[in-house]
Amino acid sequence: RPFTFEDEKILRSIKKASEGSNIINTLIKRCTKDLDFNELALVDKNFILFKLREISYGTDYEIEAGCTSCNHVNELTVELNKLPIKYADISASKATKMTLPDSEVEVEYLVPTANDEKFLNNSGHLIDNLWRFVKSINGHSERMVTQGFITKTTARDVSVLRNAIFNNDYGIQTKVNFECNSCGKDSAIELPINESFFDVS
């Protein structure tokens, strides 16, 4: 459902960036039903966030985008309902297997959920908590095995594993292409989420 006046008050109560995630989580729980929030894949949480914005404030989202050729700042209106969506097949929401390139071991890994977000709030936490998303290594699921393997394997193995776990191919595609109003060159940016995201255009 769209935000109510009470939801809006909760949203506007954010005083610092560190409070944002908890309040957004609260709003998603308030505005949805029959949803196991803790088991919600992060890509699905992002999808819901965009949909709540659309039904609460409209589809038009005004942003500024710098041209990569001439640095001119373009004022753009993005129609959120027209952003492409790449849907995952059902198997993508379950544990997935892959073989790492250097160690050649089979790793079964898990898709991060909304409940895991607390482990991912900075790059240091992400690396330290990578083992949490590894279900098994060559069939061994003990924490000592998974943690020990990650600390001892090659940087390439870790990079490949990290990219698989935090794959951003699915969900709302937030890359925005535009033609510069000044020089006419084509540019692309990742859609910024700024203070006017939850606002009427």
Side-chain angles (χ1 to χ4, degrees):
R1 64 162 176 79
F3 289 162
T4 63
F5 180 63
E6 283 299 312
D7 297 326
E8 173 87 6
K9 281 170 44 178
I10 292 170
L11 181 64
R12 303 300 169 203
S13 72
I14 298 174
K15 297 288 188 279
K16 50 189 177 185
S18 59
E19 300 171 344
S21 183
N22 286 338
I23 288 180
I24 292 299
N25 292 350
T26 297
L27 290 172
I28 289 176
K29 291 173 188 174
R30 284 173 59 101
C31 296
T32 57
K33 65 179 182 179
D34 301 325
L35 179 70
D36 185 350
F37 182 81
N38 289 335
E39 294 302 313
L40 185 68
L42 285 180
V43 67
D44 287 337
K45 177 187 169 184
N46 193 47
F47 178 85
I48 290 172
L49 192 63
F50 272 76
K51 292 304 168 186
L52 284 176
R53 197 285 182 193
E54 280 182 44
I55 64 174
S56 299
Y57 300 103
T59 60
D60 289 351
Y61 176 39
E62 294 173 4
I63 63 168
E64 292 183 343
C67 174
T68 53
S69 295
C70 72
N71 294 324
H72 174 72
V73 177
N74 295 266
E75 293 185 359
L76 307 175
T77 300
V78 177
E79 296 176 82
L80 296 176
N81 62 331
K82 293 187 178 174
L83 291 173
I85 301 165
K86 185 175 177 185
Y87 292 94
D89 61 43
I90 192 66
S91 65
S93 65
K94 307 297 181 190
T96 308
K97 292 181 180 179
M98 67 179 301
T99 301
L100 295 177
D102 289 338
S103 59
E104 298 182 352
V105 301
E106 185 180 72
V107 176
E108 190 175 12
Y109 61 91
L110 304 167
V111 175
T113 65
N115 199 39
D116 298 319
E117 203 166 19
K118 58 186 173 285
F119 303 124
L120 312 174
N121 53 11
N122 64 54
S123 57
H125 278 179
L126 190 151
I127 295 298
D128 291 342
N129 288 288
L130 193 60
W131 63 272
R132 294 178 185 276
F133 305 100
V134 175
K135 186 173 181 183
S136 67
I137 295 173
N138 274 352
H140 300 283
S141 58
E142 298 85 359
R143 175 177 166 174
M144 282 180 56
V145 173
T146 56
Q147 277 186 303
F149 172 80
I150 289 170
T151 58
K152 301 285 190 219
T153 194
T154 65
R156 184 167 74 146
D157 272 357
V158 170
S159 179
V160 167
L161 178 60
R162 185 178 61 236
N163 289 339
I165 292 170
F166 303 106
N167 181 351
N168 291 322
D169 287 347
Y170 298 114
I172 292 185
Q173 305 299 295
T174 53
K175 184 169 278 189
V176 176
N177 300 298
F178 66 96
E179 183 180 296
C180 179
N181 292 330
S182 178
C183 70
K185 294 284 178 67
D186 291 328
S187 289
I189 61 160
E190 193 63 34
L191 184 67
I193 304 298
N194 60 33
E195 65 278 359
S196 67
F197 185 73
F198 287 114
D199 213 342
V200 177
S201 298

